[in-house]
């Protein structure tokens, strides 16, 4: 059946039995394909029936379906003609792990960061109303996890103000973010979920009382008139309705007819409506259901049947940090940990196990996490805020003004820094060095290996009168790269025979830098590799060191614009040091999904290529880097073209 679905219109004439068959086939397909490539398996297994129902009731792309976060859009992709692309899910040439406009007209919002869909939907609905496109409905699918994000509530506040807005909000409630959703909202949704009594009560009242002669009808009407009061007693759903948003539900999210019934009513309502759909994350796949911690929210390459990882991962950067923080926690009762709904992925789960009272999961709320950390620091604690690099973007203002301006002793630990690859443009952690570079008082470290993660974490936690930040990449940690000599906090990793080039290596690129220096030596070029470890503030001794060299080259896993190379250039300029600085890093582009290694290759960040550059630069008197001189692309679609 699945292979016959080329577009949503192919779903329309199917019988209930055929729809059941299709759901089963979609689940088998997802289990098989996602196990091969890795991806968001659990969330997608949970929305099979919901997505089918959405595409049967609404007419995409005329009606616009916006998925919050977008990680649960695989079924939508399958129903909109992209089955073949799943062979290479999240790889170059295959479908992206999130909605992607270049793939299909059915994808409108290219997301991956949570809690934005309600704002998008509100904007699109208002746009349709003002441009005479009233026949188009906007449907926003938002998880209970994404509803913990502040943006969702800013949007709801605006949506509710327009009683005529044609917007259907589908709350996909599976009680989980990665792990169980936390907070007051989760408790509230759970109340709605468990008090299904209200609708039944009203049906019963209608049936019985309407048949009761004379007094029956008035009693029913009175009860109906008191609806809200009764509802609040039997099913306290007042919150959404008090806001002015009609509430339907809860609806069994695995019963296509029931969902369709609710969606039809919602479609005809003529104002903002919320349909509360209950789904099961990982539905139909025993290994996912049995995964208590995360219900296979996101898996790597696994055995399709058992769900077990196919290769044994080495020790990761995350686990080095995780273990060290637990050790520190034993000696320092002031150290507390904060996660924004990512306890396991950031490695804070071990800290939570050891010190549950000192661990806080704030929901998908990076901004709140950051400002609350400033508050905790004021009260005498030393918070460690562990987030992915890409998600710190969201809390920039809080970092700048609530934390840094107040010189709060908060330590940020950024996982997945640098190019991450598979998850596409919005998941790369390539902006943190540039963004944090402009925050006064903040200290930033980029450890090159596990030993340096432990070391810089301890150093960071010893700073109590200013914020600190440590960033490291995704995946298996590098073998430790021993230090040749440490001068004023700067590690010398490789000493060149002659003073041709000083190669400043930032963070995890150190091994590549050392290997390139070794190769350059064979070609007669003397390259000394140093690792400053702390890149903000930069040690002043860098200037003294650089004086001896003909060229300085900086390699960093982040955007070149505003990155460490540019800070170093400025430092040299201000110190009156006239030495050319070359930069190896990420150009100012959105990088389409592909393996990290592939992207690095495209960008020329390989040992071989860097060696070639080092050799060229060492003999280049004028040191003009032509790549740097290229104008920014004028064509707005330029960033979609292949990287090369
Ligand atoms: C701003 C931001 N922070 C963190 C994440 C990481 N993240 C991805 S999905 C997810 C949980 C989403 O839960 P929910 O919205 O309920 O969707 P479900 O996976 O349960 O369907 C989180 C925390 C993110 N995508 N965006």
């Amino acid at each position: 059946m699945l292979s016959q679905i080329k577009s949503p219109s192919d779903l329309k004439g199917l019988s209930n039995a055929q729809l059941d068959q299709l759901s089963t086939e979609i689940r088998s397909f997802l289990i098989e394909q996602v196990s091969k490539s890795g991806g968001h398996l659990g969330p997608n297994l949970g929305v099979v029936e919901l997505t089918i129902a959405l595409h049967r009731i609404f007419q995409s792309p005329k009606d616009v379906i916006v998925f919050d976060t977008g990680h649960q859009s695989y079924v939508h992709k399958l129903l909109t003609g992209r089955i073949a692309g799943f062979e290479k899910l999240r790889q170059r040439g295959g479908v992206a792990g999130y909605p992607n406009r270049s793939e299909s007209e059915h994808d409108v919002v290219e997301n991956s960061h949570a809690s934005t869909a309600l704002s998008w939907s509100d904007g699109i609905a208002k746009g349709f109303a003002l441009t005479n496109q009233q026949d188009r409905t906007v449907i926003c699918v938002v998880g209970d996890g994404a509803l913990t994000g502040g943006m969702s509530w800013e949007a709801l506040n605006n949506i509710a103000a327009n009683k005529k807005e044609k917007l259907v909000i589908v709350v996909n409630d599976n009680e989980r973010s990665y792990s169980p959703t936390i907070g007051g909202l989760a408790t509230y949704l759970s109340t709605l979920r468990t008090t299904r009594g209200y609708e039944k009560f009203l049906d019963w009242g209608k049936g019985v009382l309407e048949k009761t002669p004379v007094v029956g009808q008035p009693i029913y009407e009175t009860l109906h008139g008191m609806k809200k009061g009764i509802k609040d007693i039997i099913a306290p759903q007042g919150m959404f309705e008090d806001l002015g948003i009609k509430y339907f539900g809860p609806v069994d999210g695995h019963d296509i007819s029931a969902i369709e019934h609710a969606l039809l009513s919602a479609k005809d309502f003529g104002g903002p409506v919320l349909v509360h759909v209950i789904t099961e994350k990982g539905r139909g796949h025993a290994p996912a259901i049995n995964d208590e911690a995360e219900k296979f929210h996101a898996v790597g390459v696994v055995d399709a049947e058992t769900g077990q990882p196919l290769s044994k991962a080495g020790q990761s950067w995350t686990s080095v940090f995780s273990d060290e923080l637990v050790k520190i926690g034993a000696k320092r009762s002031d150290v507390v940990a904060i996660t924004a709904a990512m306890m396991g992925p950031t490695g804070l789960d071990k800290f939570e196990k050891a010190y549950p009272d000192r661990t806080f999961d704030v929901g998908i709320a990076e901004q709140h996490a950051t400002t609350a950390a400033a508050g905790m620091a004021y009260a005498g604690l030393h918070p460690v805020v562990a987030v992915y690099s890409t998600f710190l973007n969201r809390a920039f203002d809080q970092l700048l003004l609530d934390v840094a301006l107040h010189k709060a002793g908060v330590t940020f630990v950024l996982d997945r820094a640098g190019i991450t690859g598979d998850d596409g443009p919005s998941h790369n952690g390539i902006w943190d060095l540039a963004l944090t570079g402009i925050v006064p008082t903040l200290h930033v470290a980029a450890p090159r290996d596990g030993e340096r993660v432990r070391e810089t974490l301890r150093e960071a936690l010893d700073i109590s009168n200013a914020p600190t930040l440590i960033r490291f990449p995704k995946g298996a940690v590098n073998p430790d790269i021993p230090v040749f000599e440490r001068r004023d906090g700067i590690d010398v990793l490789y000493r060149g025979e002659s003073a041709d080039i000083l190669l400043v290596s930032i963070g995890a690129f150190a091994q590549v830098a050392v290997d390139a220096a070794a190769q350059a030596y064979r070609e007669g070029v003397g390259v000394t590799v140093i690792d400053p470890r702390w890149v903000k503030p930069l040690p002043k001794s860098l200037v003294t060191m650089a004086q001896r060299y003909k060229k300085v080259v900086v390699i960093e896993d982040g955007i070149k614009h505003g990155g460490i190379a540019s800070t170093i250039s400025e430092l040299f300029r201000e110190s009156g040091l006239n030495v050319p600085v070359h930069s190896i890093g990420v150009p100012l582009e959105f990088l389409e999904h592909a393996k990290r290694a592939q992207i690095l290759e495209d960008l020329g960040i390989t040992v071989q290529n860097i060696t070639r550059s080092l050799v060229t630069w060492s003999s280049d008197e004028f040191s003009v880097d032509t790549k740097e001189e290229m104008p920014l692309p004028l064509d707005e679609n330029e960033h979609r073209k292949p990287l090369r």
Side-chain angles (χ1 to χ4, degrees):
M1 289 235 39
L2 177 57
S3 58
Q4 283 159 36
I5 308 292
K6 308 276 184 246
S7 82
S9 57
D10 295 330
L11 294 168
K12 305 260 154 134
L14 301 184
S15 67
N16 285 348
Q18 286 173 312
L19 291 174
D20 285 348
Q21 172 67 19
L22 178 64
S23 306
T24 308
E25 285 182 26
I26 290 177
R27 286 206 167 84
S28 310
F29 181 88
L30 287 176
I31 293 166
E32 200 183 314
Q33 292 300 332
V34 181
S35 298
K36 276 192 224 159
S37 55
H40 289 100
L41 186 52
N44 282 288
L45 291 174
V47 295
V48 176
E49 290 82 5
L50 171 60
T51 313
I52 293 175
L54 282 167
H55 277 295
R56 276 164 54 86
I57 298 300
F58 296 99
Q59 262 182 286
S60 173
K62 184 182 125 246
D63 296 326
V64 174
I65 307 175
V66 184
F67 291 94
D68 197 287
T69 313
H71 64 304
Q72 74 294 57
S73 62
Y74 295 4
V75 186
H76 161 80
K77 293 194 180 206
L78 290 177
L79 300 180
T80 51
R82 285 174 267 177
I83 297 172
F86 274 76
E87 266 302 316
K88 288 188 167 180
L89 171 66
R90 302 162 78 235
Q91 297 162 43
R92 180 165 295 162
V95 291
Y98 294 91
N100 189 314
R101 283 186 184 178
S102 64
E103 272 175 24
S104 167
E105 58 180 350
H106 296 278
D107 290 5
V108 173
V109 177
E110 299 195 8
N111 36 9
S112 97
H113 284 208
S115 314
T116 65
L118 284 161
S119 298
W120 268 100
S121 304
D122 182 39
I124 295 170
K126 288 196 162 79
F128 283 169
L130 284 173
T131 53
N132 257 339
Q133 303 185 70
Q134 282 91 340
D135 58 331
R136 303 180 73 177
T137 303
V138 185
I139 307 98
C140 175
V141 181
V142 54
D144 53 304
L147 273 183
T148 60
M151 268 191 87
S152 291
W153 293 91
E154 295 170 27
L156 282 174
N157 191 35
N158 280 275
I159 291 164
N162 183 356
K163 301 279 173 277
K164 294 227 161 63
E165 189 151 306
K166 278 185 76 175
L167 176 52
V168 177
I169 301 164
V170 176
V171 173
N172 169 30
D173 178 6
N174 55 20
E175 302 178 48
R176 311 186 66 93
S177 289
Y178 262 73
S179 32
T181 305
I182 54 80
L185 174 79
T187 314
Y188 174 69
L189 285 176
S190 133
T191 317
L192 289 185
R193 223 179 286 129
T194 49
T195 48
R196 287 158 194 243
Y198 172 70
E199 300 299 336
K200 280 198 203 122
F201 171 80
L202 219 60
D203 283 352
W204 169 83
K206 194 169 164 50
V208 175
L209 293 173
E210 278 187 345
K211 279 188 220 124
T212 310
V214 193
V215 291
Q217 187 61 24
I219 291 177
Y220 175 72
E221 276 166 15
T222 311
L223 279 181
H224 223 262
M226 288 160 55
K227 188 169 162 177
K228 212 176 149 299
I230 292 174
K231 264 193 176 178
D232 276 347
I233 298 162
I234 302 174
Q237 57 205 7
M239 183 167 72
F240 294 117
E241 295 216 330
D242 282 350
L243 263 174
I245 298 171
K246 173 78 185 159
Y247 172 92
F248 285 114
V251 180
D252 176 351
H254 301 295
D255 177 342
I256 296 182
S257 307
I259 310 167
E260 289 185 0
H261 184 72
L263 291 178
L264 272 176
S265 312
K267 186 179 174 184
D268 294 338
F269 183 71
V273 185
L274 186 147
V275 181
H276 183 186
V277 177
I278 312 295
T279 62
E280 184 185 24
K281 203 165 193 164
R283 175 93 167 180
H285 188 38
I289 298 293
N290 296 335
D291 171 21
E292 261 319 305
E294 295 185 1
K295 302 278 175 196
F296 278 20
H297 177 89
V299 293
V301 178
V302 293
D303 180 284
E305 215 167 293
T306 63
Q308 291 301 315
L310 285 184
S311 58
K312 207 169 158 5
Q315 197 182 26
S316 65
W317 292 89
T318 313
S319 65
V320 173
F321 154 68
S322 173
D323 293 341
E324 192 64 11
L325 191 66
V326 172
K327 277 192 203 151
I328 294 170
K331 297 239 162 69
R332 295 262 309 255
S333 61
D334 61 322
V335 170
V336 296
I338 305 177
T339 171
M342 304 193 68
M343 196 73 82
T346 55
L348 288 188
D349 46 353
K350 288 186 191 159
F351 192 87
E352 185 197 28
K353 209 155 171 244
Y355 319 106
D357 296 345
R358 288 196 267 146
T359 312
F360 303 93
D361 179 352
V362 297
I364 307 180
E366 288 80 7
Q367 302 174 58
H368 169 73
T370 304
T371 302
M376 290 182 198
Y378 171 75
L381 300 174
H382 193 123
V384 174
V385 180
V387 291
Y388 284 8
S389 162
T390 184
F391 299 136
L392 184 76
N393 297 353
R394 188 161 279 188
F396 178 76
D397 184 55
Q398 289 75 6
L399 169 67
L400 181 70
L401 299 182
D402 293 316
V403 174
L405 175 70
H406 293 83
K407 300 190 181 70
V410 175
T411 297
F412 292 85
V413 174
L414 305 191
D415 203 320
R416 272 63 162 182
I419 294 168
T420 51
D422 319 279
D423 283 318
S426 54
H427 251 61
N428 287 311
I430 53 178
W431 289 277
D432 59 33
L433 290 173
L435 277 176
T436 56
I438 56 170
V439 176
T441 77
L442 178 67
H443 298 247
V444 179
R448 66 176 178 274
D449 56 19
E451 184 49 39
R452 258 41 62 174
V453 170
R454 288 185 277 270
E455 184 181 76
T456 52
L457 180 63
R458 284 182 182 273
E459 289 170 2
L461 285 166
D462 281 342
I463 298 176
S464 59
N465 58 356
T468 45
L469 181 145
I470 295 167
R471 52 105 70 187
F472 49 76
K474 180 182 175 176
V477 68
N478 301 340
D480 285 344
I481 302 165
V483 55
F484 204 81
E485 166 190 10
R486 178 168 287 178
R487 270 198 245 161
D488 187 29
I490 299 178
D491 285 353
V492 180
L493 305 182
Y494 187 94
R495 190 173 279 158
E497 288 281 291
S498 51
D500 295 324
I501 290 182
L502 180 68
L503 177 53
V504 186
S505 165
I506 309 302
F509 276 153
Q511 191 60 56
V512 177
V514 168
D515 292 348
Q519 279 205 22
Y521 164 72
R522 276 176 234 128
E523 304 201 24
V525 177
V527 179
T528 293
V529 181
I530 58 166
D531 170 12
R533 301 181 314 125
W534 288 91
V535 294
K536 185 177 180 299
L538 280 164
K540 291 275 181 297
S541 51
L542 198 59
V543 179
T544 345
M545 245 184 212
Q547 273 165 352
R548 296 183 40 235
Y549 292 85
K550 288 187 219 144
K551 303 276 162 61
V552 171
V553 177
V554 182
I555 175 167
E556 59 193 303
D557 199 358
I559 52 168
K560 292 196 273 185
H561 288 73
I564 306 304
S566 85
T567 312
I568 289 178
S569 299
E570 192 177 313
L571 175 71
F572 290 173
R573 212 167 39 243
E574 292 202 340
S575 314
L577 176 64
N578 191 13
V579 55
V581 178
H582 292 276
S583 146
I584 299 169
V586 183
L588 200 55
E589 282 174 16
F590 288 113
L591 307 168
E592 284 300 315
H593 64 280
K595 291 267 157 244
R596 173 177 158 89
Q598 250 169 349
I599 296 177
L600 289 176
E601 173 105 36
D602 288 340
L603 299 179
I605 306 178
T606 59
V607 173
Q608 202 184 13
N609 210 64
I610 294 169
T611 309
R612 206 177 311 132
S613 299
L614 292 173
V615 172
T616 313
W617 286 331
S618 73
S619 60
D620 170 11
E621 279 311 308
F622 298 101
S623 317
V624 177
D625 182 344
T626 47
K627 256 188 167 175
E628 296 269 305
E629 301 288 303
M630 282 201 339
L632 288 176
L634 294 175
D635 175 358
E636 59 171 10
N637 288 320
E638 192 74 21
H639 72 275
R640 294 195 187 293
K641 289 185 187 152
L643 286 169
R644 213 178 270 278

